[in-house]
Amino acid sequence: MKQQFPLKNVQQEKRIFRGRVYFATGLVTFFLLLLVARYAYLQIFHFEEFSDAADKNRIRLQPIAPARGYIYDRNGILLADNYPVFTATLSRADVVDIDDTLKRLVPIISLSQEDIDRFQSRIKTAKKTERVTLKLNLTETDIARFSEVKFQFPGVDIETQMTRYYPHGELFAHVVGYVGRINDKELKIIDKDAYAGTNLIGKIGVEKSYEDLLHGTPGYESIEADAHGNVLRHLGRKESTRGNDLYLSLDYGLQSVAAEQLAGRRGAVVAMDPRTGEILALVSSPSFNPNLFVTGIGHDDYSALRDNLDQPLYNRALQGTYPPGSTIKPMEGLGGIHFKTVDWGTTISDPGYFHLPGDSHKFRDWKKTGHGAVNLHKSIVISCDTYFYILSYQLGIDRMNEWMRQFGFGEKTGVDLPSESSGLYPSQEWKMRTRKSKWLKGETISVSIGQGAFTATPLQLAMATAITANHGAHVTPHVLRESKGAKSHPVHNAPNGKINFSGTDEDWIKMRDAMVDVIQTGTGRGIRTPMYQIAGKTGTAQVKSIAQGKRYNEASLTSRQLDHGLFVGFAPAENPEIAIAVIWENGKHGGSAAQIARPVFDYWMLTRKKKPIIPLSHQMSGGLMTAGIKPGELPSGETPLTTNPNATPKPNTGQTTTAQPVTQAQPATTTTEISE
């Protein structure tokens, strides 16, 4: 039977087809319009944003590390130099597996675990396009081995970078300091943009305290690179700005003389200009070679320095706190004048000891039989302890504290060097706060002769001596004399106030005269000279305590139990140009320390202008010109020194340059002084 199908509805089918066509056309048109809108959004409204993103895939900004500023002494002698070294660097953007790359590089460029640890710390915070240092100061062998296999290490390159060199080795180590690799702690606080491409930062001394001036500002180079990190072309460059050059107040010759006097001894010498506060010499002995630290000191070398019993890394001039002994008696005597406890005519009878009322304990004078009748002038000249025992008992510790703090004791001097110690000048409040007990009157007696809880740094003693030389005008010690470069930094070279003193200028003059007699006829007479007049004061600081009733027996003590010798002084006495503080650890007495000070005085007063000590390597056409400074372009008031045109400094020797021979004034005699 034939099946019947209904007739087609052509019109209906056409409508359905047209609807489908319209829908498909509309859908296609919609997505086409959406695509056009998105294209317009990307190309018109966000063109710069995505253009920059695209450029970053091929155009990179490489930081250009700034050259570090040079450091000179007051005469233009170079103390901190720059020289180039070969450095292995890695680009994070071009290395897929950093750990594997490091593992394969270890035998090729002799990467140590310390190098790897430093690199991994730095790369965590580095920008993707920044090149991070793997190892500084590559050897020729390292470079040769890497060159043979460079194709195996895309993203790893050998570049030339500037590093630091200290041409005079140990001589200025504690004051100029040194730079070293940036560590994890420093990475957290530095401005990473400012230190882009930089590996070194100041660690101690001037290098640290003036890091902002010395560092400079980095530049950038725009380069086009392929997918493998190879440079295709250089597109542009913004040069870095070199750090400021610093001229210090230090004098190379004076520093050399002071260091020579302390050679083989433990101690410190600080010399400063009492008129300005400029530090002329700052020596701590023994010292160390700062060049060892620049590219990373080895474990054995550091252990040798750290474990050395003489502590060469310890800056005795700035951080060493010692009982000042009798060196503080001139300041203390002026305190008696200020509080009207004594005057220049006040006389005591010294039987050789003092005891507190109602107490049988005897505080003995250094001279067992006593000095007889003693006034303030004589007490300074012969360093009579008993006079100051009585004076301190009448003043009391709190008034003594109030007065002596005006000279800078018990607080930091404010010197422009890091890690300064404050020393200690005690008070009743201090003892109650720190030791939870009352102050005893007997403790005041010990403090009166610079013993007991009283400690001071050599720098504090130099500043207090300068204030005394200035008749009470206060100066702040500083080593920066002038800064030249892009950054402005004013330097204050003048007194900044005066201590509160109820006496007259005549009292300062009388104290100066007493200190002159210390050198002429008293405990410091071993260094007297007819060439100029020195005002000074010797001091002895006891290291090992002696029981009541026992005598000091030097023969029974070890070399490190002997008393410290101290000396402070200024010259010329009438118009002081230099103030000096000396500490000789276990030097037995202050007269020994005075012997160290005499050649330092002689050089500054007699030799410096006629025959200055200068290093053979100092060349106007070398040291200063490499810094972009014309010969003779020195701080105002200074003149260039004679140089040896045949000498050339050599980096990484670790040796101190030889100084030209100089005819010194006759050395101080070795006459044994009375005491102290």
Side-chain angles (χ1 to χ4, degrees), residues 600-668:
V600 181
F601 277 126
D602 283 349
Y603 178 79
W604 193 256
M605 298 300 302
L606 306 176
T607 310
R608 171 178 57 103
K609 294 181 180 179
K610 295 179 180 179
K611 284 192 175 181
I613 298 175
I614 59 174
L616 296 176
S617 60
H618 178 62
Q619 301 179 64
M620 284 299 175
S621 59
L624 292 182
M625 290 302 288
T626 56
I629 301 171
K630 299 177 182 178
E633 185 183 341
L634 301 174
S636 56
E638 298 297 335
T639 55
L641 303 179
T642 307
T643 59
N644 181 349
N646 300 314
T648 303
K650 297 179 180 180
N652 288 336
T653 62
Q655 301 296 320
T656 302
T657 51
T658 305
Q660 289 186 350
V662 59
T663 303
Q664 298 265 2
Q666 289 298 316

Side-chain angles (χ1 to χ4, degrees), residues 513-530:
D513 292 342
M515 295 176 71
V516 168
D517 283 348
V518 168
I519 306 301
Q520 295 300 315
T521 62
T523 58
R525 65 175 180 261
I527 66 166
R528 63 180 179 264
T529 171

Side-chain angles (χ1 to χ4, degrees), residues 5-25:
F5 291 95
L7 294 175
K8 292 183 177 179
N9 189 336
V10 177
Q11 295 300 323
Q12 184 179 3
E13 289 183 354
K14 286 181 177 181
R15 285 195 301 271
I16 294 172
F17 177 75
R18 283 196 299 269
R20 290 174 177 173
V21 170
Y22 292 152
F23 177 77
T25 301

Side-chain angles (χ1 to χ4, degrees), residues 183-202:
N183 59 36
D184 292 344
K185 183 179 179 180
E186 290 159 342
L187 273 175
K188 295 177 182 178
I189 59 176
I190 62 173
D191 182 343
K192 295 178 179 58
D193 290 332
Y195 281 83
T198 301
N199 300 297
L200 304 175
I201 193 170

